[in-house]
Amino acid sequence: MARAGLTADRLVQAAAELADEIGFDKVTVSALARRFGVKDASLYSHVKNAQDLKERVAMLALGEMADLAADALAGRAGKDALVAFANTYRTYAKLHPGRYAAAQLPLRPEAAEASAARRHSEMNRAILRGYGLPEPAQTDAIRMLAGTFHGYVTLEMAGAFSHTPRETSVSWSRTLDALDVTLRNWPPE
Amino acid sequence: MARAGLTADRLVQAAAELADEIGFDKVTVSALARRFGVKDASLYSHVKNAQDLKERVAMLALGEMADLAADALAGRAGKDALVAFANTYRTYAKLHPGRYAAAQLPLRPEAAEASAARRHSEMNRAILRGYGLPEPAQTDAIRMLAGTFHGYVTLEMAGAFSHTPRETSVSWSRTLDALDVTLRNWPPE
DNA sequence: ATTATTTGCCTAATACCCCTAGGAAATCTA
DNA sequence: TAGATTTCCTAGGGGTATTAGGCAAATAAT
């Protein structure tokens, strides 16, 4: 009997694809095993359990997003960088909704440490540097930025904006314009 | 044999409490049945299925938040209204994390119609009126507001801000200050 | 090339969870 | 109080997560 050639990496990769196809919450050990034409139990030699599998998908997504964002950021500064960075996330979410959802998974502290989370916040800070905000305003602004990007993309994907005719991409651009203005006029105190 | 006195409302109420205690994703028909000392099958006379139960919790949460927001908004305008409104959501999320998560559940169009979703966007618009933004800027601003509130609260709850010592409540206040500035200086075009 | 060893996948079994069908008892109605 | 209704139960089918233990295939050692 020929083997299926499973490895942890191939499982995670396939799970990520599955997530984009059917939704991250529907990614299950069984479904993944089915996709490989293999019994459920066979996956447990490569992956600790379902939680572990999901965390690995999350880390894959975080890494991919960090890579893309780093590329987008290269050679840009100021509003240019802000827009490029923001669009990276939004585009990734549209292209890979399952992976994006995975990236939202609350990671255990240890897993978070091993993830690309740090790179993300580094990049956030790099963008902010262009605006010359002193600490602690910088931290406040980073949190606002992260929240706005994430919230907008999440709500848009959930269809929360679909009741109003206005093109969501346009609102997104205006939101980025507004954020740029905000950062340039960050309130003192 | 005495009856447990189940009704759809009591089930939904209990499910909401359960969600706040153990997390919305862990709310299950079985767990709920256990809480009432009843067999799983008994719940199906009151609730169509697990999905239905979850949707009802979502609608309960949306309604509660709308009520609270409406109260908070009463008699306020401008930045005052903005802050009161935003704090309603954030406070609710902290007090009722499970319900807040439930409110994020993508509802089927029909369920969404019956929900308090419309009240929420009405209130968003009411706040914006104070800033005198013309359409379509108003729609763009609403989307930005909703995204920022939701994103910030979600990330904060997920612990995404806990690696930096700065108090998240302070960053939240500064974010609201910044939003106020943004709305007063909404970029033209 | 034959053993020995590791590794990959399987069978079997347990424990939950979701849900349907049909029955009996508690409660309401006439 | 007889009948109708509602509430909850038993039984049972199907899906997912996970562990334990076994055989066979790929790999390493002799």
Side-chain angles (χ1 to χ4, degrees):
Chain A
M1 198 61 174
R3 292 187 181 178
L6 304 184
T7 69
D9 282 348
R10 300 181 70 165
L11 285 178
V12 173
Q13 188 63 42
E17 286 161 18
L18 200 54
D20 289 335
E21 289 167 25
I22 63 175
F24 182 60
D25 49 312
K26 296 194 184 58
V27 171
T28 159
V29 174
S30 302
L32 193 54
R34 257 193 305 277
R35 167 154 302 206
F36 280 96
V38 143
K39 299 294 174 180
D40 297 10
S42 306
L43 303 197
Y44 288 87
S45 336
H46 305 282
V47 148
K48 205 153 120 289
N49 53 33
Q51 179 62 24
D52 178 39
L53 174 67
K54 286 178 187 174
E55 272 178 18
R56 285 175 192 245
V57 175
M59 292 176 52
L60 170 70
L62 286 168
E64 286 181 350
M65 278 195 277
D67 290 346
L68 290 168
D71 279 2
L73 233 47
R76 294 180 203 273
K79 186 180 176 184
D80 235 38
L82 177 74
V83 171
F85 189 68
N87 280 328
T88 300
Y89 285 101
R90 181 159 176 269
T91 302
Y92 188 85
K94 279 178 141 42
L95 242 45
H96 302 294
R99 285 155 146 103
Y100 187 80
Q104 261 36 78
L105 192 73
L107 294 177
R108 287 168 298 97
E110 1 151 15
E113 194 53 36
S115 82
R118 176 158 294 151
R119 287 172 67 202
H120 286 272
S121 63
E122 290 296 337
M123 287 188 281
N124 259 303
R125 270 191 202 287
I127 290 170
L128 267 284
R129 256 193 286 284
Y131 290 91
L133 287 181
E135 284 292 7
Q138 198 181 44
T139 294
D140 298 336
I142 287 183
R143 289 172 173 175
M144 180 183 182
L145 277 189
T148 305
F149 295 162
H150 174 54
Y152 191 100
V153 169
T154 302
L155 292 179
E156 182 185 2
M157 282 208 307
F161 297 155
S162 53
H163 301 297
T164 316
R166 177 114 166 130
E167 198 53 56
T168 57
S169 294
V170 178
S171 292
W172 171 252
S173 288
R174 293 294 87 76
T175 295
L176 297 182
D177 292 345
L179 273 179
D180 176 60
V181 172
T182 305
L183 293 174
R184 283 193 279 102
N185 305 320
W186 193 262
E189 199 291 25
Chain B
M1 198 63 172
R3 290 186 182 176
L6 305 184
T7 68
D9 282 348
R10 298 182 72 166
L11 285 179
V12 173
Q13 188 64 41
E17 285 159 19
L18 199 55
D20 289 336
E21 289 167 25
I22 65 175
F24 182 59
D25 50 312
K26 294 193 186 57
V27 171
T28 160
V29 173
S30 302
L32 193 55
R34 255 192 306 277
R35 166 155 303 206
F36 281 97
V38 144
K39 299 294 177 182
D40 296 11
S42 306
L43 303 198
Y44 288 87
S45 334
H46 306 282
V47 148
K48 202 152 121 293
N49 53 34
Q51 179 62 24
D52 179 39
L53 173 67
K54 288 179 185 172
E55 273 178 17
R56 285 175 191 246
V57 175
M59 291 178 52
L60 170 70
L62 286 168
E64 286 182 349
M65 279 195 277
D67 289 347
L68 290 168
D71 279 3
L73 234 46
R76 293 182 204 272
K79 185 179 177 185
D80 236 37
L82 178 75
V83 170
F85 188 68
N87 280 328
T88 300
Y89 286 100
R90 180 159 177 269
T91 303
Y92 188 84
K94 278 178 142 42
L95 244 44
H96 302 294
R99 285 156 148 102
Y100 186 79
Q104 261 35 78
L105 192 74
L107 294 178
R108 287 169 297 100
E110 1 151 13
E113 195 52 38
S115 81
R118 177 158 294 152
R119 287 173 66 203
H120 286 272
S121 61
E122 290 297 336
M123 287 188 281
N124 259 304
R125 269 187 204 287
I127 290 171
L128 268 284
R129 256 192 287 285
Y131 290 91
L133 287 181
E135 283 296 6
Q138 198 181 46
T139 295
D140 298 337
I142 287 183
R143 288 173 172 175
M144 180 185 183
L145 278 189
T148 306
F149 296 162
H150 175 54
Y152 191 102
V153 169
T154 302
L155 291 179
E156 182 185 5
M157 283 207 307
F161 297 155
S162 53
H163 302 296
T164 316
R166 177 120 168 124
E167 198 52 58
T168 57
S169 295
V170 179
S171 291
W172 171 251
S173 288
R174 292 296 86 77
T175 295
L176 296 182
D177 292 345
L179 273 179
D180 176 59
V181 172
T182 305
L183 292 174
R184 284 193 279 100
N185 304 321
W186 193 263
E189 197 296 18

